[in-house]
Amino acid sequence: MASVREAALARRSASKVTDAAPDDATIIGLLAAAERVPDHAALRPWRVIALRGAARSRLGAALAEASGLSGDAAAKLAAKPERAPLLLAIVATITAHPKVPEWEQDAAAAGVAHLLNLLLDDAGWGVMWRTGPYTRHPLVADMHGLGPNEHLLGWLYVGGVPEPTRVPRATRPLTPNFSSFD
């Protein structure tokens, strides 16, 4: 198993994946680790919804309806959730709390999403966190069965990693976006 640093440095979004996908038991095991993110007041302000099979088509229909598009444009948008065999909807569940503002609860839920993304990648799965202009549309929320205190942060598209068909592109060295003050 790679160190956290090695896993973070190796992680790369997978825009294309195969039809293989982790089962629910695997997701639950990885989520047990991802849920170790900092969580002020132990509110657990997140939940994860697995969308497989026909649920992806229902999401596509909700996205198309939310967009107001028709014809080919609507069909193209409706097909997007079919790009991976498993979509993990990341939901922020907000609880009124005197010491934990909504933004902090969103940050904790996003932390779970990011760590789950990293864990899936480290386990050998292809993953990409996707959002879009309809992520918080009421029709999309209804499709997921969200409550009035919940909103989507996006979806982790998960599948198998295809065999490389080309040489990976060279990555430029990154300089951390960091400042220090005395």
Side-chain angles (χ1 to χ4, degrees):
M1 180 177 191
S3 72
V4 173
R5 183 176 187 279
E6 291 167 334
L9 288 170
R11 190 211 68 82
R12 184 160 177 193
S13 293
S15 60
K16 296 187 186 303
V17 295
T18 70
D19 288 336
D23 61 19
D24 288 350
T26 300
I27 297 299
I28 290 167
L30 295 174
L31 192 54
E35 289 183 336
R36 301 293 298 173
V37 298
D39 177 14
H40 190 182
L43 296 176
R44 297 183 52 138
W46 58 78
R47 68 182 175 111
V48 175
I49 303 169
L51 304 174
R52 300 177 191 273
R56 296 172 305 141
S57 298
R58 289 192 303 275
L59 172 57
L63 291 169
E65 187 177 352
S67 74
L69 297 171
S70 61
D72 289 343
K76 183 177 177 181
L77 180 59
K80 287 188 174 190
E82 303 290 334
R83 292 184 286 191
L86 171 63
L87 278 61
L88 297 174
I90 308 300
V91 179
T93 303
I94 306 304
T95 301
H97 193 280
K99 294 183 179 180
V100 187
E102 182 174 334
W103 70 263
E104 193 174 329
Q105 295 178 55
D106 276 348
V112 167
H114 177 67
L115 193 48
L116 185 56
N117 185 324
L118 183 63
L119 290 162
L120 284 160
D121 181 86
D122 187 56
W125 296 103
V127 187
M128 181 172 261
W129 189 348
R130 296 184 186 267
T131 61
Y134 312 109
T135 302
R136 298 218 177 151
H137 192 283
L139 291 171
V140 176
D142 287 347
M143 182 270 148
H144 288 83
L146 301 188
N149 65 323
E150 295 182 313
H151 55 265
L152 281 170
L153 297 181
W155 303 267
L156 298 182
Y157 280 54
V158 183
V161 178
E163 292 295 321
T165 56
R166 61 185 173 151
V167 176
R169 67 181 172 155
T171 57
R172 62 182 168 86
L174 296 176
T175 304
N177 189 359
F178 175 76
S179 300
S180 180
F181 296 95
D182 283 331

